[in-house]
Amino acid sequence: MVLDYMKQAGQISPELQMQAEEFVAQGYQRLLSFEVPGGGFSLFGRAPADPVLSAYGLMMLSDMGRVYPVDREPVDRTAHWLMAQQQPDGSWAAGGRREAAALDAMEDQLSTTAFVVWALAEAGYYDVESTRRGVDYLVDHRSETEDPYVLALCANALSVAGPDGYLANSVLGRLAQQAIVEGDAVHWQTGLRTFMGGGGRAGSVEVTALVAQAMLRTGRHPD
């Protein structure tokens, strides 16, 4: 992230870029050590692979690819593994995370599907059948939650993979109405634990960042 920013801002020297790329290379090799044989990622690199962690790994590989020559094979392998886990209704199930995250069954399915769709689209798989079916699931069920964390994931997924801007904008409109105003600042607060374990103030920081990211991407609600 730092390397990408500094390159875009024109604030990096050849020496610093070389050092940063060396760090990225080390992180890239370390990330691949968590890949499960047969596809997908898990916390310790052993089966079974986890859909959420696999989507997270795919997102990291896509981000690294902006500043480092990432091998396309693990990207494609992870994407195809994720697509093979899709449910008949177009959703993805996290499995085993609902109790820890305080998600009900629908929010679990909706948030996991949004995160996977977002990751697939970021990896270049925004116009394949699995992603389109995932988008259809999000569209059909986006009104079944009011939690800003789940809505923020849906907004990011739809902003990348949605067929038109209206779908993401409709979710962002609901989020704008939920903003908690404190002086000149606003934030969003979730009653859930995020996929990364954030709760309380940490969860609020994470969901606020996700909402801001979706709003910046779509250019909606700049205030």
Side-chain angles (χ1 to χ4, degrees), residues 101-102 147-149 189-193:
D147 189 88
Y149 174 61
Q189 191 169 335
T190 178
L192 309 173
R193 282 199 171 273

Side-chain angles (χ1 to χ4, degrees), residues 28-182:
Y28 173 55
Q29 294 303 322
R30 180 64 173 154
L31 174 61
L32 294 181
S33 71
F34 292 94
E35 187 179 13
V36 174
F41 287 80
S42 72
L43 196 57
F44 300 104
R46 296 192 295 268
D50 180 277
V52 170
L53 291 177
S54 298
Y56 187 45
L58 182 60
M59 194 90 73
M60 292 175 73
L61 289 169
S62 301
D63 287 345
M64 286 182 183
R66 296 205 300 264
V67 296
Y68 182 79
V70 168
D71 185 354
R72 190 68 197 181
E73 283 190 15
V75 174
D76 293 339
R77 194 161 53 235
T78 305
H80 289 135
W81 182 87
L82 279 167
M83 289 187 281
Q85 311 310 308
Q86 191 171 30
Q87 306 295 307
D89 63 358
S91 69
W92 279 266
R97 292 181 172 271
R98 187 165 61 248
E99 183 177 346
L103 293 159
D104 66 24
M106 173 51 64
E107 287 174 328
D108 176 58
Q109 203 108 328
L110 194 57
S111 58
T112 301
T113 301
F115 194 48
V116 173
V117 167
W118 184 12
L120 286 171
E122 291 283 10
Y125 286 88
Y126 51 84
D127 193 25
V128 299
E129 182 182 357
S130 288
T131 305
R132 289 195 296 268
R133 289 175 59 220
V135 167
D136 289 343
Y137 182 88
L138 297 179
V139 172
D140 291 342
H141 297 279
R142 69 189 190 279
S143 62
E144 297 180 32
T145 183
E146 290 300 323
D147 189 88
Y149 174 61
V150 183
L151 290 175
L153 289 171
C154 289
N156 276 286
L158 292 172
S159 70
V160 183
D164 56 62
Y166 169 77
L167 296 171
N169 293 341
S170 67
V171 178
L172 288 172
R174 292 169 62 191
L175 283 165
Q177 294 176 351
Q178 294 181 354
I180 300 170
V181 181
E182 291 184 349

Side-chain angles (χ1 to χ4, degrees), residues 13-31:
S13 66
E15 295 79 16
L16 188 57
Q17 180 169 336
M18 186 179 300
Q19 185 181 24
E21 288 175 349
E22 183 179 340
F23 290 151
V24 173
Q26 293 174 13
Y28 173 55
Q29 294 303 322
R30 180 64 173 154
L31 174 61

